[in-house]
Amino acid sequence: MTQLALVIDLNVCVGCHACVTSCKQWNTSGAAGPLFDDRPYGENPTGTFFNRVQTYEIGQFPNTETLHFPKSCLHCEDPPCVPVCPTGASYKRAEDGIVLVDYDKCIGCKYCSWACPYGAREFDEQQKVMKKCTLCVDRIYDETLPEAERKPACVLACPTSARLFGDVHDSESEVSVAIRENGGYPLMPEWGTKPSNHYLPRRKTRHKIHKDELLRVDNPLKKEDIRHEIRDNVSLDDWLM
Amino acid sequence: MHPTFSVIFLTTLIGVGQGLFLALFTEQSYASVNLLPGQPGAFYVTGSLIALAFLLGGLVAAIGHLGKPSYMVTRAWRGITQWRTSWLSRELILLPLVMFLIFLYLLFHYLGWEANPFGTTGVSGQLTLILGGITTVMVFALFICTAMIYASVRFLQEWACALTVSNYILLGGASGFTLATAYAAWAAPELVGFYAGWAIIITVLGLLSRGLHLIRNARLKGKSTLQSAIGVRHNRIEQKAMGMMGGSYNTREYFHGKSAAFLKSIKWIFLLLLFPLPLLLLWAGMDGNKGMLLLAFIMQYVGLLFERWFFFAQANHPQNLYYQTI
């Protein structure tokens, strides 16, 4: 069974919002109709997005760290938003695990958005239906595109390659390896929704240097000193002298 | 959550309608075994008509909760398809069914159909009793479906408990029986004491259930934290940007947008309007004082509106962790 998903590397994300704008551009231009935008140049612009980048500050000055956190639908393996839909508009595809909304069946009751702990679904105030990330389902299977471009718009747009896309059920896929080897984790595991999207944590590269690594014990330049001071507990170094 | 008036009116109006039907049928079943004086068909016909009007009002209010009113015609029929998994779908099936059954109940009484399929056992009106029995089961099923829509969303911990279900049944029943008391003051004054008694009992039970729910929710601890939401283990995390500046669906739908003091005042208003005042008026109106009993119902219904508003506003959705407006 295939489960397509994104793996987002928080260690590399710089919070540039390129994934947000490319997502909006692609998904507002498709056959499903535009994504709502209200007062885009006004005082309080609002609209429907599938993807948002949030920013958090961890710790207290001066020990702070900035975390840029892209958030979109996690395409849960056990999606709580799907069974609650009264019309069957919300569904999870058996063939690739993508959670989708059929905009022609949705009655806009918003119940599915209540049943998502992540707030991944956004209501389209113009079309009056619920919308959410489609993993660019209209793009990833499009054979008129070169194979390298058959990926979600956000993945292609990311300048730091913080977003990986692939099948998390295939143990040898790029995403599975990244999750396995780089400590990939799901969001809010306490609810048992089994999100398919995973996040790779911020990682520090630390090198522990021990004192004896700075001071070479068998330094030949110290040869003479050692000869003069032979201690009681004679070591191999002394024998070598 | 952001309380929507369409849902507040839907749940309270159908609660009154269901409760009123239960009150009518309770009387009929008591009368069938001669515990109460039997009533002419007109008593049930007018009563059912009032119950239907409330249910219809609820149905109209429900249209307001759809994306577009036209979806009621073009798409809402699909709502009957997902009854296997969705409590909302089950409610969508049961609401028209209950209305249809109450209409049949009304019709049978109106036409005076008096078939006795179980023969002459001394119990008259067996046809309407059977029909009323089936309708009663469906009315309770509808109460459970309506409540389970909320109680089944495990992320909204304030709702996800059995008390939500008992609240919907008891508060709907209480308002229906209070209305029945007022109705009896006009249509059958000899029943006022019977109905007022039951209305008082159900209202007190409702107070018990709702009070326990309030106590439970006051001690509730959120299962999710900002730490689990973004997966960073640090005691001090502060959100600096939500990813938008002018607000979004996420900042509008999941928060009531009122102060804690406002919320608290609503709580005391509903506690007052829903329980002690109607109880007092019901007690005072036991002698058949029409104005007093009507006021009791109006007060309780308004209290129910406040109660439902509070019910929605109190629920704190875990997605708010990502949108620190709360």
Side-chain angles (χ1 to χ4, degrees):
Chain A
M1 208 177 88
T2 310
Q3 173 65 63
L4 296 180
L6 296 171
V7 169
I8 297 161
D9 193 345
L10 300 178
N11 201 38
V12 228
C13 176
V14 291
C16 70
H17 290 251
C19 53
V20 179
T21 51
S22 63
C23 164
K24 180 86 173 185
Q25 187 275 331
W26 176 264
N27 286 297
T28 205
S29 323
L35 290 180
F36 179 55
D37 252 328
D38 198 16
R39 307 179 299 273
Y41 303 103
E43 201 179 337
N44 279 310
T46 187
T48 307
F49 284 76
F50 292 168
N51 183 30
R52 307 267 191 187
V53 177
Q54 308 189 317
T55 303
Y56 296 86
E57 190 177 80
I58 298 156
Q60 197 168 10
F61 181 82
N63 295 317
T64 54
E65 194 175 321
T66 302
L67 178 85
H68 298 294
F69 182 81
K71 182 169 83 78
S72 57
C73 172
L74 305 173
H75 298 279
C76 297
E77 302 207 29
D78 189 3
C81 54
V82 169
V84 300
C85 177
T87 65
S90 192
Y91 64 105
K92 185 175 176 71
R93 280 159 52 116
E95 62 266 39
D96 53 16
I98 301 180
V99 178
L100 288 175
V101 179
D102 187 334
Y103 302 152
D104 292 332
K105 288 183 184 168
C106 177
I107 53 170
C109 72
K110 304 177 184 170
Y111 191 34
C112 55
S113 73
W114 297 4
C116 169
Y118 308 101
R121 292 171 166 245
E122 294 193 21
F123 190 68
D124 190 304
E125 295 289 353
Q126 199 167 37
Q127 228 169 314
K128 301 290 184 190
V129 292
M130 194 55 74
K131 295 197 170 178
K132 63 178 291 301
C133 162
T134 64
L135 271 184
C136 286
V137 70
D138 52 345
R139 174 167 191 145
I140 56 177
Y141 296 112
D142 188 350
E143 288 181 5
T144 62
L145 290 171
E147 207 170 336
E149 286 179 27
R150 289 180 213 160
K151 285 179 175 177
C154 58
V155 174
L156 293 169
C158 182
T160 60
S161 302
R163 303 176 78 94
L164 308 174
F165 168 69
D167 176 12
V168 288
H169 280 186
D170 171 6
S171 330
E172 295 314 314
S173 68
E174 185 191 18
V175 279
S176 290
V177 170
I179 295 168
R180 192 163 66 233
E181 295 182 355
N182 294 327
Y185 64 89
L187 303 181
M188 293 188 186
E190 62 271 23
W191 295 114
T193 55
K194 289 195 261 169
S196 303
N197 282 13
H198 282 70
Y199 286 77
L200 304 184
R202 304 260 303 149
R203 298 181 288 283
K204 294 279 163 61
T205 311
R206 287 209 178 83
H207 192 187
K208 180 89 176 162
I209 299 171
H210 296 278
K211 217 170 192 176
D212 62 344
E213 285 175 280
L214 292 171
L215 195 75
R216 188 172 158 190
V217 184
D218 59 349
N219 191 340
L221 294 175
K222 292 179 180 171
K223 215 173 171 183
E224 280 133 46
D225 305 336
I226 296 164
R227 190 179 288 172
H228 285 295
E229 286 181 58
I230 293 180
R231 287 159 296 171
D232 293 343
N233 51 342
V234 181
S235 74
L236 190 62
D237 291 340
D238 300 310
W239 282 100
L240 288 173
M241 292 305 121
Chain B
M1 301 299 289
H2 181 80
T4 354
F5 280 99
S6 53
V7 184
I8 292 176
F9 278 111
L10 161 69
T11 55
T12 52
L13 286 173
I14 64 171
V16 174
Q18 289 164 262
L20 180 59
F21 172 79
L22 292 180
L24 292 173
F25 185 66
T26 308
E27 198 283 332
Q28 199 200 347
S29 47
Y30 272 53
S32 69
V33 288
N34 299 319
L35 285 170
L36 281 175
Q39 295 298 324
F43 175 79
Y44 305 107
V45 171
T46 318
S48 302
L49 212 58
I50 299 170
L52 269 181
F54 273 94
L55 287 161
L56 199 67
L59 198 63
V60 171
I63 296 174
H65 196 57
L66 299 179
K68 291 177 189 169
S70 64
Y71 288 168
M72 196 68 179
V73 183
T74 55
R75 297 180 181 187
W77 61 270
R78 290 184 191 276
I80 61 171
T81 59
Q82 303 301 310
W83 54 272
R84 286 179 194 82
T85 60
S86 172
W87 284 102
L88 183 52
S89 174
R90 289 168 199 163
E91 191 201 30
L92 276 169
I93 295 167
L94 275 174
L95 180 55
L97 183 66
V98 162
M99 290 175 74
F100 176 69
L101 286 171
I102 294 180
F103 174 73
L104 279 188
Y105 183 77
L106 180 157
L107 196 70
F108 281 20
H109 273 295
Y110 179 74
L111 297 174
W113 285 1
E114 285 281 343
N116 287 330
F118 291 112
T120 47
T121 52
V123 179
S124 61
Q126 287 176 12
L127 192 63
T128 45
L129 278 174
I130 294 165
L131 183 62
I134 295 168
T135 313
T136 302
V137 172
M138 291 303 162
V139 160
F140 274 102
L142 178 57
F143 267 132
I144 290 168
C145 286
T146 310
M148 280 308 288
I149 290 173
Y150 307 103
S152 69
V153 183
R154 62 185 195 273
F155 313 109
L156 290 154
Q157 288 168 266
E158 286 83 354
W159 295 353
C161 80
L163 286 168
T164 301
V165 182
S166 62
N167 285 340
Y168 271 80
I169 296 173
L170 290 169
L171 300 183
S175 58
F177 271 79
T178 310
L179 179 61
T181 317
Y183 170 58
W186 267 274
E190 68 271 25
L191 291 175
V192 166
F194 169 73
Y195 277 140
W198 273 114
I200 287 170
I201 290 169
I202 302 171
T203 304
V204 169
L205 287 176
L207 173 62
L208 199 72
S209 166
R210 195 66 178 96
L212 280 176
H213 199 193
L214 285 176
I215 292 167
R216 171 195 178 265
N217 285 354
R219 288 151 194 240
L220 211 57
K221 208 177 160 196
K223 208 170 174 183
S224 287
T225 58
L226 188 52
Q227 281 72 21
S228 75
I230 65 170
V232 175
R233 198 173 180 82
H234 197 294
N235 290 337
R236 193 186 171 93
I237 304 173
E238 206 181 308
Q239 186 165 34
K240 292 291 176 186
M242 293 194 280
M244 90 293 281
M245 287 152 72
S248 71
Y249 175 73
N250 302 74
T251 61
R252 291 187 294 265
E253 176 72 6
Y254 301 89
F255 187 56
H256 50 78
K258 300 282 190 288
S259 67
F262 185 88
L263 208 63
K264 206 171 178 180
S265 63
I266 296 291
K267 182 176 82 182
W268 286 108
I269 289 172
F270 95 67
L271 280 175
L272 203 66
L273 285 176
L274 194 49
F275 304 112
L277 293 179
L279 282 176
L280 214 63
L281 287 165
L282 280 168
W283 177 70
M286 281 265 204
D287 58 349
N289 188 326
K290 290 174 185 168
M292 207 84 95
L293 293 174
L294 191 65
L295 191 65
F297 169 70
I298 292 169
M299 207 166 264
Q300 195 165 42
Y301 184 72
V302 173
L304 212 49
L305 295 178
F306 278 97
E307 188 272 339
R308 227 26 65 87
W309 189 94
F310 184 83
F311 172 77
F312 284 103
Q314 198 192 27
N316 189 9
H317 200 284
Q319 80 102 40
N320 288 344
L321 291 167
Y322 295 107
Y323 301 89
Q324 298 280 323
T325 45
I326 186 162

